[in-house]
Amino acid sequence: MKLQCDVEVVNRMLPSFGIRNRGKGVRAVLSIGKHVDKTSHRSNIYMMICTAKDRAGSRYKLKDNIEKFFTWFVEEGKATVRIKEPAVDICLSKADANSLKNFLSAARLADRGSDASSLPLSTLTPVRARDVEQPKKKLSIVSKKDYPLTSSFPYSLEQLQVSYCKLSRVDMRMLSLKALRKLDLSNNHIKKLPATIGDLGCLSELILHNNHLEAFSEALCLSTLQRTLQLLDLSQNRLRSLPAQFCQLKELVNLKLDDNELVCLPFHVGRLSSLRFLSAAHNQLAVLPGDFRKLSLENLDLFGNPFVQPNPLDHTMKLTFPLPLQELATRAVANLRLPYGPHLIPAHLCRDLEVAKTCECGRVCLNYFIKTAVSMNLHQVSHTVVLVDDMGGTDAPVQQHFCSLSCYSEFLDKSFQRGIR
């Protein structure tokens, strides 16, 4: 039975001499196994602690020699074993919770003098240097020849970069790194992302620059990434659109979408309330969604998109008279802010309500409206703006929806009056 964790051996007699313990654990490997006592020539079960400075290890007899186990925080990978002779407390931390429980169970059995055949004993031998190294937090692999094929990634990794390795898919071994905060898989050949990336509960930075991605799945947008992801780099891929659920990633601060094939941004992009840096240069954007006005950015780059020249008279008419009952009912639900859900109304109506358009008058329309594009100076939503084109412009077309002919007519009147002035 072996356990890797941080260990501090506290001598309980030191305070009586006015000496304080150092108070900091070191990386160690603990083993429980048999050892022949040189004086009595008897075989006993010991706990051995090996560290980088003491790879040969210090041994502590276990049978009838454990005064108490302290396991209040075992679920956090912490516990203390109080030894009678010598008078020391062995404080364990940063252990895998399940491995720690198993180790303590074996120590209890050894203390009670259980039959050795029933115990998962290890050979008490000196450990290798790499077994007692401090947990590795950061790993960078930028060559295919350095990619680990037979060994696993260090479990303690918080930052992992795997670039220029020609990966066609995400290695599932990466998805077991529960402490991972930054994952950089740039410059590979990845075509699809597994939904299980969303199980990385600490992930705040995901860099997928220069791959072959064609989609960013709804499942990822609805995963724990909603609460943790702050930087997402999807530049230089093959994305043509992003799902409506993309705007659930409300902790995003930095979003990079450059050099894709995007024909539109997510309809409710304005819901990304934490977003401060947005770059979507060199895509196929012709117009920005109306929700774009709600953003509050520090830096914005939309250079190299084929934006249309907005003309208020150039519109798309999707109105019928009278409006269908379903449109009237769903508008009422939205305008009156009535609660709804698939348990109350059909699921397809819920989806319609999620992408409801807001008219200039403040009311909502869903499938029946008039749509046009209006010009907006991007400095209204961002402190710093990269020029939109080679002409030095900072204006871009933004979609505008109208719930009725009267609202559209009123908008045209205001536009002509501004033009006359």
Side-chain angles (χ1 to χ4, degrees):
M1 170 62 71
K2 290 192 176 185
L3 176 71
Q4 281 189 323
C5 63
D6 281 12
V7 175
E8 181 190 2
V9 179
V10 179
N11 189 321
R12 298 198 299 276
M13 301 303 295
L14 290 182
S16 62
F17 298 105
I19 303 174
R20 295 183 64 182
N21 286 290
R22 191 162 60 96
K24 187 177 180 181
V26 296
R27 201 65 184 170
V29 174
L30 284 74
S31 308
I32 295 177
K34 281 185 178 181
H35 177 71
V36 177
D37 194 305
K38 291 182 179 179
T39 56
S40 65
H41 301 288
R42 290 184 178 180
S43 176
N44 288 302
I45 297 177
Y46 286 80
M47 177 193 297
M48 186 168 78
I49 302 174
C50 299
T51 64
K53 289 185 177 180
D54 181 18
R55 286 168 53 193
S58 301
R59 289 184 291 272
Y60 300 89
K61 184 182 174 183
L62 292 183
K63 185 178 179 182
D64 297 325
N65 197 35
I66 296 179
E67 185 176 319
K68 191 173 183 179
F69 290 92
F70 299 90
T71 57
W72 295 303
F73 302 105
V74 70
E75 294 294 343
E76 298 176 17
K78 301 176 183 178
T80 297
V81 181
R82 174 162 289 177
I83 302 294
K84 296 176 183 176
E85 183 61 38
V88 296
D89 288 347
I90 301 172
C91 305
L92 315 177
S93 60
K94 298 183 182 178
D96 176 78
N98 290 326
S99 299
L100 178 58
K101 290 175 187 177
N102 292 334
F103 187 86
L104 295 175
S105 295
R108 282 192 182 93
L109 292 173
D111 174 52
R112 294 168 186 165
S114 298
D115 184 5
S117 62
S118 66
L119 295 173
L121 301 179
S122 300
T123 304
L124 299 183
T125 56
V127 296
R128 298 169 297 182
R130 70 182 186 186
D131 291 332
V132 286
E133 289 175 348
Q134 283 295 325
K136 199 164 190 177
K137 303 288 186 181
K138 187 176 181 180
L139 177 63
S140 182
I141 301 169
V142 292
S143 172
K144 192 173 182 179
K145 65 180 177 63
D146 296 328
Y147 191 78
L149 296 175
T150 54
S151 60
S152 59
F153 294 100
Y155 75 95
S156 54
L157 282 181
E158 293 182 4
Q159 298 184 40
L160 173 62
Q161 178 189 10
V162 180
S163 301
Y164 303 102
C165 292
K166 298 183 179 180
L167 295 181
S168 59
R169 56 187 176 82
V170 178
D171 191 331
M172 299 306 286
R173 291 178 297 171
M174 300 175 187
L175 306 181
S176 63
L177 303 174
K178 299 304 181 184
L180 205 61
R181 297 182 181 276
K182 179 179 179 179
L183 178 59
D184 183 349
L185 298 175
S186 58
N187 300 294
N188 283 292
H189 300 163
I190 298 170
K191 295 181 179 180
K192 187 177 180 181
L193 298 175
T196 42
I197 284 183
D199 295 333
L200 295 173
C202 297
L203 193 66
S204 61
E205 297 185 28
L206 179 57
I207 302 171
L208 298 160
H209 165 81
N210 192 22
N211 275 281
H212 298 167
L213 293 173
E214 297 179 354
F216 192 87
S217 72
E218 295 179 6
L220 284 175
C221 301
L222 300 175
S223 68
T224 55
L225 296 182
Q226 291 183 45
R227 300 188 296 274
T228 62
L229 195 63
Q230 296 181 357
L231 184 150
L232 177 60
D233 187 348
L234 295 171
S235 58
Q236 291 191 33
N237 278 281
R238 301 171 182 176
L239 299 171
R240 291 186 58 80
S241 64
L242 294 170
Q245 292 81 359
F246 187 86
C247 300
Q248 297 292 324
L249 301 172
K250 294 184 179 180
E251 297 302 315
L252 272 181
V253 175
N254 193 337
L255 175 59
K256 299 180 181 182
L257 300 170
D258 310 277
D259 298 289
N260 277 281
E261 301 167 17
L262 292 170
V263 295
C264 62
L265 292 178
F267 186 80
H268 280 307
V269 67
R271 292 181 179 177
L272 298 175
S273 56
S274 299
L275 196 64
R276 295 295 175 265
F277 303 90
L278 172 61
S279 55
H282 302 289
N283 279 279
Q284 298 300 313
L285 301 175
V287 65
L288 301 174
D291 221 43
F292 199 86
R293 295 185 182 89
K294 298 178 182 178
L295 291 174
S296 179
L297 305 172
E298 293 181 22
N299 188 277
L300 173 62
D301 183 1
L302 296 174
F303 181 81
N305 282 285
F307 288 123
V308 299
Q309 186 66 34
N311 179 357
L313 293 174
D314 185 9
H315 64 273
T316 301
M317 173 77 76
K318 289 190 176 181
L319 278 178
T320 60
F321 306 96
L323 288 174
L325 181 60
Q326 181 173 301
E327 176 76 9
L328 290 170
T330 47
R331 283 190 183 192
V333 169
N335 289 325
L336 297 173
R337 298 183 180 180
L338 299 176
Y340 66 88
H343 61 294
L344 295 173
I345 61 175
H348 71 277
L349 294 182
C350 294
R351 289 192 292 270
D352 286 348
L353 283 161
E354 283 299 310
V355 291
K357 295 86 178 168
T358 303
C359 176
E360 195 170 69
C361 71
R363 292 191 293 268
V364 167
C365 49
L366 284 89
N367 298 315
Y368 294 85
F369 50 80
I370 299 173
K371 180 175 69 174
T372 188
V374 297
S375 182
M376 181 184 74
N377 191 304
L378 297 176
H379 281 290
Q380 294 178 24
V381 297
S382 180
H383 179 72
T384 304
V385 177
V386 175
L387 301 180
V388 173
D389 52 41
D390 294 326
M391 304 299 291
T394 57
D395 286 5
V398 180
Q399 281 183 345
Q400 178 69 61
H401 293 84
F402 301 94
C403 65
S404 65
L405 275 173
S406 60
C407 286
Y408 180 52
S409 299
E410 187 176 339
F411 163 76
L412 289 177
D413 290 341
K414 290 178 181 178
S415 298
F416 289 139
Q417 288 171 12
R418 284 193 295 267
I420 292 171
R421 291 173 189 165

